[in-house]
Amino acid sequence: MSSQKPRVLVVTGDGINCENETAQAFRLAKFSVEIQHLNDLILRRMSLDDLSREYAVLALPGGFSFGDDLTSGKVLALKILHLLRWDLVAYAGRGGLVLGVCNGFQALIRMGMFGKDVSITHNAQGKFINSWVKVTPSGSRCTWLKGLGTLDLPIRHGEGRIIIAAGRRSETLDKMDRLGVTCLKYEGDPNGSEERLAGLCDPSGRIFGLMPHPEAFVRWTSHPDWTTQSARASAPGQGLAIFENAYQEAMKSR
């Protein structure tokens, strides 16, 4: 077994603004991390084989990629699908892990990672939301969420409402539950998402996307109530456990 740390590729690009937070969260979980611009990856013609050989994890961070023109995450998804030609299901099948946070999650949805009948649109309130929420894992499929209970995490989005094709809603939700795709739910209803969905994973459990930002709560002092429990000032934030789960899985896959 190699003594080198498993490597993470954090993709940045026009409008993406959470790449440094995301990279730091992975580093705290003991990964080796590289941040690369999407355009550089395209110019390099980085293939799926290259991705699989060089990186244990692909991370698509939050932000407003390409200004959310053509709806949120759409341009980023098109560039990954048609310019890089990455098949993320095949990447996961080779042992890779994929994380999409907020805008990165929106891109994964646009790429069809969670089924053709799943989409995402503007919050039910019709405005941007910046607040803290409680989310709870559902099922046991998702590698990233194994062993975790309810988490406090921040959300900051205007287009976070997960919707299901109306004509196939019941059938699609049943299938998603059966396959373990519906893996993370809000305790409340911050944006009007179907079934209070906050995150989804693919049937392998290795491709995970969520609207809340786990990378923004890797230190307890990031929580708005941290001063009420100042003795925990040096403690990790609850979001770090998601990245630590990925590290444990990446080490097993080596």
Side-chain angles (χ1 to χ4, degrees), residues 17-247:
N17 59 21
C18 294
E19 66 272 26
N20 289 318
E21 287 177 282
T22 303
Q24 179 62 7
F26 278 110
R27 290 188 183 108
L28 287 173
K30 302 181 181 178
F31 283 98
S32 173
V33 185
E34 292 182 16
I35 301 174
Q36 293 202 41
H37 197 288
L38 179 66
N39 290 348
D40 293 331
L41 298 172
I42 292 169
L43 285 172
R44 177 184 162 185
R45 299 182 180 179
M46 186 175 189
S47 68
L48 181 65
D49 287 340
D50 295 331
L51 179 67
S52 300
R53 182 176 59 254
E54 296 179 25
Y55 299 101
V57 182
L58 170 67
L60 304 178
F64 304 90
S65 60
F66 303 96
D68 282 346
D69 290 343
L70 307 182
T71 72
S72 57
K74 184 65 175 290
V75 175
L76 176 59
L78 290 172
K79 285 178 175 283
I80 291 173
L81 285 173
H82 298 290
L83 295 181
L84 288 171
R85 299 182 181 275
W86 287 351
D87 181 341
L88 298 188
V89 173
Y91 174 66
R94 298 177 182 182
L97 293 163
V98 179
L99 176 67
V101 178
C102 197
N103 194 240
F105 177 37
Q106 293 163 339
L108 291 177
I109 290 175
R110 307 296 182 201
M111 295 168 68
M113 291 296 101
F114 313 109
K116 64 180 181 180
D117 293 325
V118 180
S119 190
I120 196 161
T121 189
H122 296 279
N123 300 334
Q125 303 92 326
K127 63 182 181 180
F128 188 89
I129 298 172
N130 183 7
S131 65
W132 284 72
V133 296
K134 291 185 181 296
V135 291
T136 302
S138 175
S140 58
R141 176 84 62 178
C142 185
T143 296
W144 297 80
L145 297 174
K146 282 187 177 178
L148 304 187
T150 298
L151 306 170
D152 282 3
L153 294 175
I155 55 172
R156 44 198 191 211
H157 59 253
E159 296 179 58
R161 178 162 57 104
I162 298 170
I163 56 174
I164 310 296
R168 296 179 292 277
R169 182 179 182 278
S170 179
E171 175 187 351
T172 299
L173 285 171
D174 286 346
K175 181 179 179 181
M176 291 169 68
D177 284 340
R178 188 171 66 253
L179 295 175
V181 174
T182 53
C183 65
L184 190 67
K185 296 188 177 186
Y186 296 109
E187 290 292 287
D189 184 15
N191 56 20
S193 278
E194 295 266 9
E195 300 293 306
R196 297 181 289 106
L197 289 170
L200 302 170
C201 70
D202 81 319
S204 77
R206 303 181 73 83
I207 301 175
F208 175 47
L210 72 168
M211 286 310 299
H213 286 262
E215 81 287 357
F217 189 29
V218 295
R219 294 180 177 85
W220 177 246
T221 49
S222 297
H223 196 283
D225 294 335
W226 81 269
T227 54
T228 66
Q229 299 181 49
S230 56
R232 298 179 62 185
S234 60
Q238 293 175 341
L240 183 60
I242 292 175
F243 300 92
E244 290 175 334
N245 271 346
Y247 179 79

Side-chain angles (χ1 to χ4, degrees), residues 7-21:
R7 300 173 70 203
V8 179
L9 173 61
V10 176
V11 177
T12 189
D14 300 345
I16 294 173
N17 59 21
C18 294
E19 66 272 26
N20 289 318
E21 287 177 282

